[in-house]
Amino acid sequence: DTEEPIDLKLFWVKNTTKANLSWLVALTPNFEDDPENNENANIGIDFVLSESCDRLYILLSYKLKLRVLELHETLSHTQKEILENWVQIRRDLDPTSDTYKEQLRSHLWRSFDFEPVNKFFYSQLIQQFDHLVSHLKSNNIPEEKAKMFAVKLFGRTLFLWFLRKKEFLNPKISYFEVKGEDNQTKYYQDFLEPLFFEVLNSEIRGRKYPDDITPFLNGGLFEPTETDFYKDSNLTFPDGFFTQFYALLNKFNFTVDEGTSDY
C-alpha cells in the first residue's frame, strides 16, 4: 500500500546455483543495473525459494553484481540487524527528494555489505583467542604451545561450522551442545576430542567411537600432534569458554558459496 519504487519478485527454483540466481535477476529490467537506460524502472528485490522450501534467498544487484542473503532455520544476529535496518529506511531518507530512488538503491546495497561484519566477527574471535591463551599460560603451558593449540582449535572449529552448514556431521550426536558453565573441560574430553581425533581422523570401518555417519577427512587437519595435548589431563579450559565461543559463532551466518565477496 505504499508508492515505493520497488518491485518485489518471488521465485521457486529447482537449482539455486549462482548462475541461476544471476539469470533470475536479469529477467526483468531493474533501475539499479543500468540507471541511465532504466531510469523509469523500479529497484528490484528478488526472493528465491529453494526446491525443498527450506531456504529463502534475498537478492540485491548493482550493475549486475549480486549480493545474497540466505535465510535458513533461524535468523542470525547479522540478518536481524539487516532487516531492522530496512525498517528504518523511510526514517533515514526523504521520499520527496529527486534522488530518492538512487538513495534507496544505495541504502539497500550497503545493507548487504559484509566486510564490516567480517571485521567485527574477527575482532570478537581475537578476544576469545586471547582469553584461552591466557588461561593456558596460567596452567604452565608455554606461550608458543598455548598459541599453537588455540590456533588449531579455532581453525578446526570454524571448519566444522562450515561442515555443519553442509549437514555433513552426524545430527544424532550433540557435538556442540555444552551443558554447564563449569564443565567445559569435560565437554571437550567427551565430545570435541573424540570428534577431532577419533572420528574425523579415522576411517568409518575401524572407528571405536560410535559415529558411522560423520565422514573421514584424510587431510591431516585432525591428526593429533604434541601441541594438541591429546588425552592430557593438564589441559583445561576457562569456565564458560565453549558456551561463549559457540554463542559468538551462532550470531553469524556461515556461507559455503565459493564465489566472490560481492556474492
Side-chain angles (χ1 to χ4, degrees), residues 68-243:
V68 180
L69 192 69
E70 178 187 344
L71 308 183
H72 177 58
E73 293 184 346
T74 59
L75 288 177
S76 70
H77 173 76
T78 305
Q79 291 167 343
K80 289 179 182 177
E81 285 191 334
I82 290 172
L83 297 178
E84 288 169 357
N85 174 282
W86 283 21
V87 173
Q88 301 295 324
I89 284 179
R90 287 188 68 84
R91 300 178 188 177
D92 296 338
L93 305 179
D94 179 10
T96 63
S97 170
D98 293 339
T99 60
Y100 175 63
K101 191 189 295 186
E102 174 56 29
Q103 292 178 41
L104 181 58
R105 179 212 63 76
S106 178
H107 190 106
L108 290 169
W109 184 248
R110 287 198 310 271
S111 73
F112 275 22
D113 183 359
F114 296 116
E115 184 176 350
V117 175
N118 291 337
K119 288 182 178 179
F120 175 72
F121 171 73
Y122 282 106
S123 72
Q124 297 294 300
L125 203 64
I126 287 169
Q127 293 181 26
Q128 296 286 327
F129 179 89
D130 290 343
H131 178 45
L132 177 59
V133 170
S134 177
H135 172 83
L136 295 175
K137 287 167 59 180
S138 70
N139 284 356
N140 299 317
I141 293 178
E143 182 174 2
E144 286 306 311
K145 289 188 175 181
K147 287 183 176 180
M148 182 59 70
F149 174 83
V151 164
K152 293 169 77 173
L153 174 66
F154 279 50
R156 285 165 173 157
T157 306
L158 287 173
F159 179 64
L160 292 179
W161 238 250
F162 287 100
L163 290 188
R164 289 178 74 206
K165 185 69 178 284
K166 297 291 284 185
E167 300 178 346
F168 284 162
L169 303 183
N170 190 342
K172 297 179 182 178
I173 301 179
S174 303
Y175 282 122
F176 301 102
E177 185 176 322
V178 187
K179 297 179 180 179
E181 293 289 306
D182 56 349
N183 291 324
Q184 309 291 298
T185 302
K186 187 175 187 305
Y187 158 75
Y188 177 79
Q189 295 169 343
D190 291 347
F191 289 95
L192 279 194
E193 221 172 31
L195 174 61
F196 288 170
F197 307 124
E198 299 170 29
V199 176
L200 293 166
N201 195 50
S202 301
E203 294 190 38
I204 292 176
R205 182 176 297 178
R207 279 180 192 167
K208 296 180 180 179
Y209 197 81
D211 182 348
D212 58 0
I213 295 177
T214 301
F216 164 51
L217 300 180
N218 187 20
L221 179 60
F222 296 97
E223 183 177 349
T225 65
E226 177 190 359
T227 54
D228 288 313
F229 304 103
Y230 182 37
K231 293 188 175 180
D232 187 335
S233 59
N234 293 319
L235 177 65
T236 64
F237 292 86
D239 288 349
F241 173 75
F242 286 105
T243 304

